[in-house]
Amino acid sequence: AQYASKPLMAFTGGFEEGGSVHGIVNETVFSSMMAALPACLQGVQSCQDNGWLPDECLEAFGMCTLVELKPEITAGRNAYDSRKVCYKENPVQCYDFSAEIAFLNDRKVKKALGVPAGQARWSPCNYVTSLDFARSGDWLQSTNGLVAKMLERGVAVLAYSGDTDLMVDWLGTKSWMTYLSWSGAK
């Protein structure tokens, strides 16, 4: 559901649907994102349907990132808060993580967390780890069934997406919540 909503969120910000901001891409980019969306969604579905084949999942993730996520990231806005300007290639670099980096790389903290000696330094958005998640299909996995099971068992669920967040946009969250199939759905 998140990839399906990216073009509209990038173009309109969901403003007409009740969001507080306007879009960050022009109509040409929006049209390009829309044209590429069917192949992206087909790749995601194929990854989910075919037992999480590493190469297939990695290819789908790469394609969807290139055609649906990259236009948002390169639009000069912070992908986690589109009200803010940010021209970094990696949106995480729009923030100062120096305190977190120092803390998580502190020898005493690493020991307390059970991090093996000689382990690489912690850094935000470790691409080696990210690649393993992409190859496993984890990023393309649907959690709808898990959420439905929790709801069926009476577990209260809060799904939250900020209306200026482009990474997990509220239009996508609203969509999957609206169509989530469970006995208490209205």
Side-chain angles (χ1 to χ4, degrees), residues 108-160:
K108 291 179 183 176
V109 171
K110 289 173 89 168
K111 184 176 180 183
L113 293 173
V115 176
Q119 186 74 26
R121 291 181 48 82
W122 182 88
S123 64
C125 289
N126 179 310
Y127 289 112
V128 173
T129 302
S130 296
L131 182 61
D132 287 341
F133 275 104
R135 285 182 58 81
S136 75
D138 184 79
W139 278 350
L140 303 180
Q141 182 176 6
S142 172
T143 57
N144 290 0
L146 298 174
V147 173
K149 285 179 186 177
M150 291 170 58
L151 290 167
E152 294 293 355
R153 293 180 178 150
V155 176
V157 174
L158 171 67
Y160 176 83

Side-chain angles (χ1 to χ4, degrees), residues 1-9 14 144 159 161-162 165-180:
Q2 287 298 326
Y3 282 119
S5 62
K6 287 209 170 292
L8 185 62
M9 184 69 184
N144 290 0
S161 297
D165 183 350
L166 298 170
M167 297 302 276
V168 182
D169 68 74
W170 74 273
L171 292 175
T173 300
K174 179 182 176 185
S175 176
W176 75 258
M177 289 175 57
T178 300
Y179 297 105
L180 186 65

